[in-house]
């Protein structure tokens, strides 16, 4: 019976994603058209005549009415065609495939260390509320949230690349290339997770079952990690899921600072060139990640707390 409820819950969430995707696709298409600049002029070149620009606009299909362009765009998406990049003249799907795994590796590494650090600092601060451990942990967390990611990136480059020459500052392909960008990308996320974990730990410590566990004579470590940690994770999972989506979007600044060949730097290059097909596809990919991550978080939420399936 529990499996049936879980299956229904998942199906309900999957169906609910469809309208969201339709709205996202529509918004992305019309939003990109608001970007200043003429992509036809960009492709034709600064020396092109007005007739040449109009010819390029016709070849790109930009002379058609917006509704007709929208229908062509959606039809292509359904067929798995993201269009052709105006900048490189290659299929956008090929451009994305060449950089997608770089961004995924960077994001996963950032999320891994930030979750571990954030949860440990949060639990440490929460179980020692109003003590020096709490003040120290929260000072670190507030500092991590307050510092801009591009500034953190430049400081890391100055120390570990310029001064000590320990790590590379640009490129991809090895684990060393991921270290500095992942630290830059994950600092604020670790701080947010730490603060949220601390609040959850403090709330759970007030529950009756925690006092009962302590009254039974259980060791404090057992109480914290078996009873408190497990129950506070229900709310922390939501934050981690949302932050994973922000990591993918936030990679734009970090990848630019480190000249990292990922989706974020590709988006900047595409915006500078007014590359409509690439911009649309990249924003859609980032949005799709958010939607899918929220779906996974909902399912994990139901697994951790089965009562949600019945609501």
């Amino acid at each position: 019976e529990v499996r049936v409820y879980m299956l229904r819950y998942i199906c309900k969430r999957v169906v609910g994603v469809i309208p969201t995707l339709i709205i996202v696709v529509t918004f992305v298409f019309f939003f990109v058209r608001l970007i200043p600049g003429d992509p036809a002029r960009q492709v034709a070149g600064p020396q092109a005549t007005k007739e040449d620009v109009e010819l390029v606009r016709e070849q790109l299909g930009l002379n058609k009415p917006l509704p007709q362009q929208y229908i062509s765009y959606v039809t292509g998406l359904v067929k798995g065609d993201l269009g052709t990049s105006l900048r490189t003249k290659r299929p956008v799907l090929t451009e994305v495939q060449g950089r997608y795994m770089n961004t995924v590796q960077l994001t996963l590494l950032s999320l891994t260390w930030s979750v571990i650090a954030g949860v440990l600092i949060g639990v440490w601060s929460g179980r020692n509320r109003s003590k020096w451990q709490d003040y120290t942990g929260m000072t670190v967390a507030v500092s991590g949230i307050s510092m801009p990611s591009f500034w953190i990136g430049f400081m890391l480059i100055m120390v570990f690349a310029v001064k000590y020459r320990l790590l590379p500052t640009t490129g991809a392909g090895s684990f060393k290339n991921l270290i500095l960008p992942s630290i830059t990308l994950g600092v604020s996320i670790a701080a947010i997770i730490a603060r949220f974990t601390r609040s959850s730990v403090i709330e759970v410590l007030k529950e009756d079952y925690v006092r009962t566990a302590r009254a039974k004579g259980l060791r404090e470590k057992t109480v914290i990690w078996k009873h408190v940690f497990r129950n506070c994770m229900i709310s922390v999972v939501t934050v981690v899921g949302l932050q994973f989506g922000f990591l993918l979007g936030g990679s734009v600044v970090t990848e630019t600072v480190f000249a990292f060949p990922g989706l974020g730097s590709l988006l900047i290059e595409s915006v500078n060139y007014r590359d409509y097909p690439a911009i649309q596809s990249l924003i859609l990919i980032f949005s799709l990640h958010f939607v899918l991550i929220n779906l996974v978080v909902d399912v994990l939420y139901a697994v951790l707390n089965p009562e949600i399936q019945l609501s």
Side-chain angles (χ1 to χ4, degrees):
E1 186 178 354
V2 175
R3 291 182 179 179
V4 173
Y5 279 120
M6 176 61 77
L7 184 60
R8 289 179 181 175
Y9 180 81
I10 294 175
C11 291
K12 181 180 178 181
R13 287 293 181 268
V14 172
V15 172
V17 163
I18 297 176
T20 304
L21 291 178
I22 294 175
I23 293 174
V24 168
V25 169
T26 304
F27 175 80
V28 168
F29 175 83
F30 288 101
F31 176 78
V32 169
R33 265 63 185 175
L34 297 177
I35 298 177
D38 185 358
R41 167 62 67 180
Q42 194 81 15
V43 173
Q47 305 299 325
T49 63
K50 185 176 180 180
E51 290 75 16
D52 293 334
V53 174
E54 290 300 323
L55 180 61
V56 171
R57 183 175 286 108
E58 182 178 353
Q59 292 174 345
L60 297 176
L62 298 176
N63 61 329
K64 299 178 181 178
L66 277 180
Q68 191 172 346
Q69 292 184 43
Y70 175 74
I71 292 174
S72 300
Y73 172 60
V74 174
T75 303
L77 286 180
V78 173
K79 296 179 179 179
D81 180 15
L82 299 180
T84 302
S85 171
L86 305 182
R87 183 174 57 89
T88 63
K89 307 299 187 295
R90 300 170 61 195
V92 174
L93 187 59
T94 302
E95 295 288 326
V96 170
Q97 287 174 341
R99 302 199 188 195
Y100 182 77
M101 286 311 300
N102 290 338
T103 295
V104 170
Q105 290 173 359
L106 175 60
T107 302
L108 289 178
L109 181 59
S110 301
L111 185 68
T112 299
W113 83 257
S114 60
V115 168
I116 294 173
V119 169
L120 289 178
I121 293 174
V123 172
W124 189 54
S125 298
R127 65 175 294 191
N128 297 288
R129 184 183 184 186
S130 300
K131 298 180 181 179
W132 69 268
Q133 295 95 328
D134 186 19
Y135 295 133
T136 302
M138 288 304 97
T139 298
V140 173
V142 171
S143 300
I145 295 174
S146 304
M147 293 185 293
S149 59
F150 66 86
W151 183 84
I152 296 174
F154 285 133
M155 291 300 102
L156 291 175
I157 290 173
M158 291 296 296
V159 174
F160 293 100
V162 177
K163 186 174 183 179
Y164 295 107
R165 301 181 182 275
L166 296 175
L167 297 169
T169 60
T170 61
S174 68
F175 181 75
K176 284 187 175 181
N177 293 109
L178 295 172
I179 295 177
L180 294 184
S182 69
I183 294 175
T184 303
L185 194 58
V187 165
S188 61
I189 306 301
I192 293 172
I193 294 174
R195 297 190 65 183
F196 203 91
T197 302
R198 173 187 178 272
S199 300
S200 299
V201 168
I202 291 174
E203 290 299 319
V204 174
L205 284 173
K206 298 177 183 177
E207 298 294 335
D208 292 335
Y209 58 82
V210 175
R211 287 193 289 268
T212 301
R214 284 172 170 168
K216 289 180 179 180
L218 294 178
R219 293 189 305 168
E220 186 65 15
K221 287 185 178 180
T222 303
V223 173
I224 293 296
W225 296 109
K226 185 176 180 180
H227 297 279
V228 176
F229 179 74
R230 179 178 178 181
N231 287 280
C232 77
M233 280 300 98
I234 294 177
S235 53
V236 172
V237 162
T238 304
V239 178
V240 173
L242 293 175
Q243 296 309 315
F244 182 59
F246 283 117
L247 277 174
L248 287 168
S251 64
V252 173
V253 175
T254 301
E255 289 182 7
T256 302
V257 170
F258 290 94
F260 188 81
L263 296 183
S265 56
L266 179 60
L267 178 60
I268 295 296
E269 295 168 8
S270 301
V271 170
N272 290 336
Y273 197 83
R274 309 299 187 273
D275 191 346
Y276 280 1
I279 297 172
Q280 289 173 170
S281 301
L282 291 167
I283 296 178
L284 183 60
I285 288 171
F286 287 134
S287 303
L288 182 61
H289 279 127
F290 266 105
V291 172
L292 293 179
I293 289 166
N294 284 330
L295 177 61
V296 172
V297 168
D298 284 342
V299 174
L300 289 177
Y301 218 72
V303 171
L304 292 172
N305 187 1
E307 292 181 1
I308 296 177
Q309 302 170 29
L310 303 177
S311 61

